[in-house]
C-alpha cells in the first residue's frame, strides 16, 4: 500500500486532496473506517462524525454512503449516476451488521438514498432484498422523496454512448468515457467498512452500477457475499469494479472466509484477486476489480487487478489517509 495523501481535517467533496471542511476535534476509541476510492474520504468523515455523536455502526456506514449518493459530480453512485442503456438510472445498495442484519435494494429508481432504503428493508421488513418496482414502491411507502436521478451531464454521456455503442450491451463501458482503465472514474462504487473498539463491525455498499447496462442488470454491490460481507469475530470485505467478475466468485465472502482461516486482510484480498485472474485469464484484460478488507482488530487490506484503485482509511482520531492499493497487473 502506497501512502497518497493524509487529511487531518476531514475532506468534503469528490477529491479528498482538495477537501477543506474542518470538523471539531474528538476521537472515537478504536474506530477504523475504510472505504473505496479517494471520494471515500468525504464519506468516512460523515461516518466518523456519526460515530462521534453517538451513532451506531449502522448509522455511521449509512451516513457515509449518503455522501456520494447526493454528489452530482459522482456518476457511479446515487444522484447523477449513469443510466442504463434505456436511460433509466437504477441504484443498488446493501447494508449489513455483524449480528445477521442485512438489507438490500437492487434496480431502485427515482430515489437518491438507496443505502437508506436498504436499511429500511433490514429494519422494517422480514426480507433481505427488494428489487425493481417493488423496491421503488417500498421507498415511496417509507416516505423517501421521488426524484429524477438523471442530470444533464449523465444524460449527455448516455446519448454519446448510444451513438458509438449502438445500444449493444457492453461491460466496462466506463472506460470509453474516462479513458483511464482502473482509475477512480472507472467503476467508482462506494463500499464502506467500519469497526469500533469492541471489535464490532458493519458495512455498506451503494452504486448506480455499470454505466449503460442492460435494463435489469444487477452487479455485485447489493448482493451479500459479493459486494459486501461482514462476519462477527472475523471482519468484513467490500468490492468495487466490474461486478460480474466479483459475483462469479462471491468475492467479499471469499475474502472473509480467507480471514476466518487465518489470512491477514491483505493476504485475503490478494488471494481473491489472484483467483479471479487465474479463473478468467484473457477475459479480464483491461478490467478493474478491487477489494478492501478490515478485520476485527482494525487491520486493513487492499488489492486490485489494475493500478489506480485508491481507498480512504480513517483512524480513531478522525484522521483520514488516502492510499493507493497495490495491483496484480501493471498498467
Ligand atoms: C457494479 N461494482 O455494478 C458495481 C459498480 C460498478 O461499473 O463498478 N459498475 O458492477
Amino acid at each position: 500500500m502506497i501512502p497518497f495523501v493524509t487529511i487531518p481535517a476531514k475532506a468534503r467533496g469528490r477529491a479528498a486532496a482538495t477537501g477543506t471542511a474542518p470538523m471539531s476535534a474528538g476521537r472515537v476509541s478504536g474506530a477504523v473506517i475504510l472505504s473505496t476510492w479517494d471520494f471515500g474520504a468525504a464519506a468516512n468523515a460523515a461516518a466518523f462524525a456519526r460515530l462521534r455523536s453517538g451513532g451506531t455502526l449502522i448509522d455511521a456506514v449509512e451516513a457515509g454512503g449518503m455522501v456520494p449518493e447526493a454528489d452530482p459530480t459522482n456518476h457511479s453512485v446515487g444522484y447523477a449516476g449513469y443510466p442504463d442503456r434505456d436511460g433509466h438510472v437504477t441504484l443498488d445498495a446493501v447494508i449489513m451488521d455483524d449480528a445477521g442484519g442485512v438489507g438490500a435494494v437492487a434496480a431502485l429508481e427515482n430515489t437518491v438514498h438507496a443505502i437508506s432504503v436498504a436499511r429500511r428493508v433490514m429494519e422494517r421488513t422480514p426480507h433481505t432484498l427488494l428489487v425493481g418496482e417493488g423496491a421503488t414502491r417500498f421507498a415511496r411507502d417509507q416516505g423517501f422523496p421521488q426524484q429524477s436521478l438523471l442530470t444533464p451531464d449523465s444524460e449527455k454521456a448516455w446519448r454519446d454512448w448510444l451513438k458509438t455503442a449502438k445500444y449493444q450491451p457492453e461491460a466496462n463501458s466506463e472506460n470509453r468515457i474516462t479513458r483511464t482503465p482502473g482509475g477512480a472514474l472507472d467503476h467508482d462504487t462506494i463500499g464502506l467498512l467500519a469497526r469500533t473498539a469492541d471489535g464490532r463491525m458493519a458495512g455498506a455498499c451503494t452504486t448506480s452500477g455499470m454505466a449503460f447496462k442492460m435494463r435489469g442488470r444487477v452487479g455485485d454491490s447489493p448482493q451479500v457475499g459479493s459486494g459486501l460481507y461482514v462476519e462477527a469475530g472475523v471482519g468484513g470485505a467490500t468490492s468495487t469494479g466490474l461486478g460480474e467478475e466479483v459475483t462469479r466468485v462471491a468475492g467479499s465472502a471469499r475474502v472473509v472466509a480467507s480471514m476466518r482461516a487465518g489470512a491477514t486482510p491483505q493476504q485475503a484480498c490478494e488471494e481473491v484477486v489472484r483467483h479471479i485472474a487465474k479463473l478468467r485469464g484473457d477475459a479480464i484484460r483491461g478490467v478493474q476489480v478491487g477489494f478492501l478488507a478490515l478485520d476485527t482488530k482494525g487491520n486493513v487490506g487492499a488489492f486490485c487487478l489494475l493500478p489506480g484503485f485508491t481507498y480512504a482509511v480513517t483512524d480513531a482520531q478522525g484522521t483520514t489517509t488516502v492510499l493507493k492499493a497495490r495491483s496484480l497487473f501493471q498498467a
Side-chain angles (χ1 to χ4, degrees), residues 76 174 187-189 207 209-211 217 219-221 240-244:
S76 209
E174 284 87 345
H187 306 286
D188 51 358
T189 302
T207 186
M210 180 187 291
R217 179 267 185 190
D220 55 328
S221 304
T240 184
L242 186 59
E244 282 74 359

Side-chain angles (χ1 to χ4, degrees), residues 37 76-77 92 171-174 185-190 205-211 213 217-222 227 239-247 288-289:
W37 304 109
S76 209
V77 183
D92 303 330
N172 230 16
S173 49
E174 284 87 345
L185 297 178
D186 177 8
H187 306 286
D188 51 358
T189 302
I190 189 155
C205 186
T206 176
T207 186
S208 54
M210 180 187 291
K213 59 199 173 189
R217 179 267 185 190
V218 172
D220 55 328
S221 304
S239 61
T240 184
L242 186 59
E244 282 74 359
E245 302 306 338
V246 176
T247 302
Q288 179 63 297
V289 170

